[in-house]
Amino acid sequence: MAQDKLKLIPLGGLGEFGMNCMALRWQDDILVIDAGLMFPEEELLGVDIVVPDISYLTENRDKVRGIVLTHGHEDHIGGLPWILSELNVPVYGTEFTLAFVEGKLEEHNLLDDAELNEIIPGHRLTLGPFSIMPIRVTHSLVDCVALAIHTPVGVVLHTGDFKVDLSPTDGQPFDLQAFAELGKQGVLALLQDSTNVDRRGYTPSEKAVRPRLNEIFGQTKKKLFFSCFSSSIHRIRLAMELAAEHGRKIAIIGRSLDNSTEIAQDLGYLEPAPGLLIHPGQIKDFPPEKLCIMISGTQGEPMSALSRAAVNNHKFARIDAGDTVLMSSRVIPGNEKSIYRVIDHLERRDATVIYDDGTAGLIHVSGHGSQEELRLMINLVRPKFFVPIHGDYRHLKRHVELASSMGLVEKAILMEDGEVLELDRNSATKTGNVTVGRVCIDSGGAASDVVEDLVIRDRRHLSEDGIVLPIIAINKGTGRLENLPEIVMRGMAVPEEGLIAEARQVVQRTLDGSSNEEKADYGVVKEKIRTDLKRFIQKSMSRRPLIMPVILEI
């Protein structure tokens, strides 16, 4: 009987923000929804990105039918290069999403081997026993879809990231009708985005920022620097319209903005007025009041165009006194320090900085639905079972409470990464766990750049306690010491020179107490020195630095 159940297995995104990846399994067929990454917390020293552990998929590689993407944000597609290097399966996404994916795979030399297939909202796609209907939803990016997955036991609806915007700037509204139709046919399980579950009311439409942005364009006397997420095509389109209305030329600065605006223009999502766009090199040819400079770096990334311009270190973007810098985005938790550092630099240049401080009108709106939209979706589709996705544990818990309080759902189930939920037409039961976790990657590279836990532990150790290098020169012929051991200490506040002299004596005593046979075996000598020095430093300084003896043969 277990064979006749649908398995729902989250591999990432439940219990954290980012790394979204969900597997659906029916007998010998697995469908994967999204393949995201997560940006590392501070304690993951030197790690650039974090992707889900896909051991479960690699162990069942012959059963994976494909990866279907809901939209093109990094937390949904950023893990693809890593996953496809391990598991080359077909990828499905909308036109705009695939354009982002192509650039990402090309960067990692994976594009030639990848099989990318376009999906269109309202057109079904069949993968093994799964018949998938993409449904148009609105979000802070264009061309986003929810997925209605028809399985042998019923429909599983995966919302992706969404908000209910009936008047978006691209004229492609949220498809309420399709969700209402699904509700009439019956939905077995609803997997719903939990990002804004703690926000009351509705999330405003993208058009709600227009009045305040229009005011800023009108009031700015000199250059206007406009910074937003490079994927916020709606916002970029709005800025282009306002720049044209206020007689300003637009220069685009920053690789990510360049790429996304180019893709959006190619696909018809951006149609700048003729002559509106200028090359960054032409900025100096126009008076300041005739310029709007779109610049990347809204989160204060150290090497971004805005960060460099803020310290007067950019070839084209020069911020002068009286210029206005508008940061039209939210502060992502964890980025506060770097954002406020950039704002401080901008203030030093006597620029007017406008950022999302909750005052004087909207300059940014969220791309995620608030409580009333989440309720609306549950009301429309009336699922039998409800599973919150995309969020920290507290968001998922709050979302279960919200769904349960409506009295429309038979069972709301709180799940975390790795748990297996088995569904049939009448029941939903957790039955076990699969291996999940996170894989840390340096420099956004391929599989060879995986950072093991041990490496991160060493980095943390070094950052907290420093390093000690005892350097011993031994005569190869006689086995005798050539001179007193040298001690190099880094990352340690050494109280006085006397400590280093004492440490030398400790090493010297260890060597004097070793037999010729021990001295001939450098592995043994190193271990003895490490042990004695560790004991001495711990006793005198209460520190546990990394100790790496170096033996030089002379």
Side-chain angles (χ1 to χ4, degrees):
M1 281 299 287
Q3 282 297 298
D4 296 331
K5 289 185 188 283
L6 175 74
K7 290 190 171 99
L8 214 66
I9 309 159
L11 301 176
L14 273 71
E16 69 257 311
F17 276 113
M19 227 166 59
N20 297 301
C21 188
M22 172 73 73
L24 268 72
R25 179 169 181 169
W26 175 261
Q27 295 177 0
D28 283 341
D29 295 277
I30 296 174
L31 168 71
V32 181
I33 300 168
D34 289 333
L37 58 71
M38 185 167 77
F39 292 105
E41 301 104 342
E42 276 183 12
E43 61 264 25
L44 293 177
L45 301 160
V47 170
D48 294 311
I49 63 168
V50 184
V51 296
D53 181 337
I54 55 157
S55 307
Y56 177 74
L57 300 180
T58 51
E59 285 160 14
N60 295 282
R61 62 175 65 243
D62 55 322
K63 300 178 178 67
V64 182
R65 300 292 160 253
I67 300 171
V68 185
L69 305 170
T70 57
H71 66 286
H73 273 145
E74 287 287 324
D75 57 337
H76 293 259
I77 66 167
L80 266 180
W82 157 256
I83 290 174
L84 291 183
S85 67
E86 295 278 306
L87 193 76
N88 197 1
V89 295
V91 175
Y92 301 83
T94 57
E95 183 182 37
F96 191 83
T97 303
L98 291 184
F100 266 18
V101 168
E102 278 178 19
K104 193 164 279 299
L105 296 183
E106 198 165 9
E107 225 175 275
H108 293 83
N109 301 316
L110 292 167
L111 187 55
D112 293 345
D113 299 327
E115 186 192 322
L116 304 180
N117 305 281
E118 190 184 331
I119 58 175
I120 298 165
H123 293 250
R124 279 200 189 216
L125 152 78
T126 303
L127 290 178
F130 305 106
S131 172
I132 303 150
M133 175 66 84
I135 302 172
R136 169 90 56 207
V137 295
T138 43
H139 183 43
S140 51
L141 187 62
V142 294
D143 221 3
C144 305
V145 290
L147 302 171
I149 303 149
H150 297 257
T151 76
V153 292
V155 176
V156 173
L157 176 59
H158 187 296
T159 65
D161 285 355
F162 80 99
K163 71 174 181 182
V164 181
D165 192 343
L166 300 177
S167 57
T169 58
D170 64 353
Q172 303 271 17
F174 184 91
D175 193 348
L176 277 173
Q177 183 64 35
F179 288 106
E181 284 298 319
L182 266 181
K184 285 179 195 164
Q185 294 162 23
V187 169
L188 178 69
L190 170 63
L191 316 183
Q192 182 166 262
D193 173 24
S194 309
T195 308
N196 275 354
V197 69
D198 46 11
R199 286 197 191 178
R200 294 171 183 276
Y202 291 89
T203 301
S205 163
E206 187 60 39
K207 285 190 174 167
V209 298
R210 189 184 181 107
R212 176 68 178 130
L213 296 192
N214 187 37
E215 197 181 295
I216 292 166
F217 269 84
Q219 288 172 351
T220 299
K221 299 283 185 283
K222 290 191 173 179
K223 295 194 290 291
L224 174 60
F225 287 83
F226 185 97
S227 185
C228 67
F229 292 122
S230 59
S231 58
S232 298
I233 305 302
H234 297 298
R235 196 75 43 83
I236 293 167
R237 182 189 177 114
L238 187 53
M240 286 183 172
E241 288 171 9
L242 290 170
E245 284 172 28
H246 289 270
R248 289 178 181 266
K249 298 286 185 190
I250 284 187
I252 295 170
I253 291 178
R255 193 167 70 108
S256 57
L257 258 180
D258 244 350
N259 290 347
S260 59
T261 50
E262 198 175 307
I263 290 168
Q265 282 181 77
D266 289 347
L267 301 181
Y269 287 97
L270 288 178
E271 292 165 348
L276 179 70
L277 298 182
I278 60 169
H279 185 273
Q282 296 174 270
I283 289 173
K284 58 184 182 307
D285 303 336
F286 291 87
E289 67 276 8
K290 294 290 179 194
L291 286 168
C292 171
I293 295 153
M294 284 195 175
I295 189 162
S296 60
T298 182
Q299 295 300 301
E301 302 90 334
M303 288 311 291
S304 66
L306 183 59
S307 289
R308 285 185 288 142
V311 292
N312 204 14
N313 185 24
H314 196 283
K315 190 176 176 184
F316 301 118
R318 184 182 168 82
I319 296 171
D320 298 306
D323 287 348
T324 296
V325 181
L326 169 61
M327 298 168 86
S328 179
S329 65
R330 75 185 180 97
V331 174
I332 292 179
N335 293 350
E336 295 90 349
K337 268 188 186 168
S338 46
I339 293 171
Y340 292 129
R341 191 181 304 126
V342 169
I343 291 171
D344 277 351
H345 286 307
L346 293 168
E347 296 279 6
R348 282 195 182 97
R349 313 208 82 72
D350 274 336
T352 302
V353 188
I354 302 168
Y355 57 99
D356 193 8
D357 57 358
T359 60
L362 282 173
I363 58 165
H364 172 69
V365 291
S366 174
H368 300 270
S370 300
Q371 285 178 7
E372 293 309 315
E373 285 142 289
L374 302 179
R375 285 196 177 96
L376 174 64
M377 178 69 89
I378 294 168
N379 241 318
L380 276 175
V381 303
R382 298 182 170 246
K384 191 179 184 73
F385 305 117
F386 175 84
V387 180
I389 55 174
H390 306 170
D392 290 334
Y393 188 86
R394 66 182 187 279
H395 295 90
L396 305 180
K397 188 164 186 282
R398 178 83 188 82
H399 207 170
V400 161
E401 289 163 6
L402 181 137
S404 303
S405 70
M406 292 175 66
L408 296 172
V409 176
E410 190 176 298
K411 190 176 182 185
I413 303 139
L414 180 57
M415 288 183 74
E416 289 190 88
D417 293 344
E419 292 186 329
V420 179
L421 183 70
E422 290 196 353
L423 298 161
D424 59 23
R425 292 184 191 281
N426 304 308
S427 67
T429 320
K430 286 191 201 177
T431 57
N433 292 76
V434 302
T435 303
V436 289
R438 51 193 191 174
V439 177
C440 299
I441 296 177
D442 262 356
S443 64
S448 58
D449 296 315
V450 171
V451 186
E452 300 296 340
D453 283 349
L454 183 67
V455 176
I456 292 166
R457 207 159 52 240
D458 280 351
R459 287 176 182 174
R460 198 172 297 138
H461 193 164
L462 285 167
S463 72
E464 289 168 0
D465 290 316
I467 185 170
V468 175
L469 301 173
I471 302 165
I472 299 109
I474 291 182
N475 187 306
K476 197 174 181 182
T478 63
R480 289 207 182 100
L481 280 192
E482 285 295 305
N483 49 26
L484 264 178
E486 279 293 319
I487 306 280
V488 177
M489 292 185 175
R490 289 289 179 269
M492 293 176 67
V494 182
E496 69 263 336
E497 186 59 36
L499 187 88
I500 291 180
E502 281 182 58
R504 278 183 180 167
Q505 294 302 325
V506 170
V507 176
Q508 185 71 58
R509 280 199 297 275
T510 305
L511 292 166
D512 290 345
S514 303
S515 67
N516 286 340
E517 199 177 353
E518 283 177 320
K519 283 183 197 165
D521 186 334
Y522 293 162
V524 171
V525 171
K526 282 181 179 181
E527 198 45 54
K528 285 184 77 172
I529 290 170
R530 188 183 291 117
T531 306
D532 291 350
L533 211 46
K534 182 179 166 187
R535 196 178 296 124
F536 165 71
I537 291 172
Q538 203 169 346
K539 199 173 172 185
S540 33
M541 292 181 70
S542 301
R543 302 297 290 265
R544 297 171 63 101
L546 202 61
I547 299 171
M548 295 182 67
V550 177
I551 294 182
L552 304 174
E553 281 189 330
I554 292 173

